[in-house]
Amino acid sequence: GQNIDQPTEMTATEGAIVQINCTYQTSGFNGLFWYQQHAGEAPTFLSYNVLDGLEEKGRFSSFLSRSKGYSYLLLKELQMKDSASYLCAVSDSNYQLIWGAGTKLIIKP
Amino acid sequence: IAGITQAPTSQILAAGRRMTLRCTQDMRHNAMYWYRQDLGLGLRLIHYSNTAGTTGKGEVPDGYSVSRANTDDFPLTLASAVPSQTSVYFCASSVSGGYNEQFFGPGTRLTVL
């Protein structure tokens, strides 16, 4: 079967760095997405990785290792507004997104 | 309209009733999707459409139907609602297939009693 695993919840301190991991087992791979979802709102796109390595975009970076079925999202200089759920999704062989359950990130002052 | 809209925002529905959730996008995207989101579970794909005139079944299609008569609109119909269909429903669109980012509507919170 297809499976995306990510931690249910993480807590971090304002100004710090946090890494959210995602491991996947899917039928085929056409890229991995990270989305941010604030409570009661729609998911919004953060990043897309299809090749191995690190993609940096401001305070957010995303890493992919296809051989390990592994990705992480790195958030630097955490701000209170970063409190949200972070969703990992993989595009499978049919180009459909398979979603993880999301990681709820709590930022403390 | 800017982006993707959904209606209604929320709805309480009696079991057995028919309900259509509306979704409209103005980005001229080819692909559109319907997901449901339940606590503790990831987004689950109900139905999708890669282009106007075509539709396909996702992971959890039973009890739902869709149509794609034109590029902009992608309604989701519950023929006879059941309590297990209580969920938050998101419509999304993308330029084309699964290697393009998806843009999400604000969601419809549906409660079936």
Side-chain angles (χ1 to χ4, degrees):
Chain A
Q2 308 203 91
N3 198 50
I4 310 285
D5 285 318
Q6 45 180 138
T8 302
E9 187 175 296
M10 299 181 70
T11 302
T13 304
E14 190 177 15
I17 299 173
V18 70
Q19 178 175 311
I20 302 173
N21 296 325
C22 171
T23 57
Y24 63 89
Q25 289 179 303
T26 57
S27 58
F29 180 83
N30 284 300
L32 185 145
F33 294 80
W34 283 97
Y35 282 76
Q36 180 189 60
Q37 185 177 25
H38 285 101
E41 298 183 8
T44 55
F45 170 80
L46 287 177
S47 68
Y48 173 66
N49 295 68
V50 66
L51 300 176
D52 290 351
L54 187 69
E55 295 272 349
E56 297 187 76
K57 194 184 292 185
R59 293 189 299 114
F60 292 11
S61 302
S62 56
F63 171 83
L64 175 67
S65 168
R66 289 172 296 171
S67 63
K68 295 182 179 179
Y70 168 70
S71 173
Y72 67 73
L73 181 69
L74 192 71
L75 290 74
K76 304 176 185 176
E77 301 169 16
L78 286 170
Q79 302 175 9
M80 296 305 292
K81 67 178 182 179
D82 297 329
S83 292
S85 289
Y86 291 85
L87 314 180
C88 175
V90 171
S91 178
D92 70 6
S93 56
N94 295 317
Y95 294 97
Q96 299 302 331
L97 291 189
I98 309 300
W99 296 81
T103 299
K104 182 178 181 180
L105 178 63
I106 299 168
I107 310 296
K108 295 187 174 180
Chain B
I1 300 176
I4 185 165
T5 59
Q6 294 183 235
T9 302
S10 65
Q11 182 76 43
I12 299 174
L13 190 66
R17 298 297 295 267
R18 180 184 179 90
M19 175 75 191
T20 295
L21 307 185
R22 299 184 298 278
C23 175
T24 300
Q25 53 103 359
D26 66 353
M27 298 176 283
R28 309 303 295 172
H29 284 172
N30 287 312
M32 296 187 75
Y33 314 86
W34 273 106
Y35 292 96
R36 60 178 290 172
Q37 187 174 40
D38 302 291
L39 199 62
L41 299 177
L43 288 161
R44 291 184 291 170
L45 183 65
I46 304 170
H47 285 286
Y48 66 93
S49 169
N50 286 329
T51 189
T54 69
T55 61
K57 294 182 179 180
E59 179 186 357
V60 288
D62 294 343
Y64 307 95
S65 63
V66 292
S67 61
R68 186 90 183 276
N70 57 59
T71 298
D72 298 345
D73 301 301
F74 192 43
L76 176 74
T77 297
L78 290 67
S80 179
V82 295
S84 62
Q85 292 177 312
T86 294
S87 188
V88 179
Y89 291 86
F90 286 104
C91 179
S93 70
S94 64
V95 172
S96 59
Y99 48 85
N100 297 122
E101 68 173 281
Q102 294 184 9
F103 295 82
F104 284 79
T108 294
R109 184 174 295 275
L110 181 67
T111 302
V112 182
L113 300 177

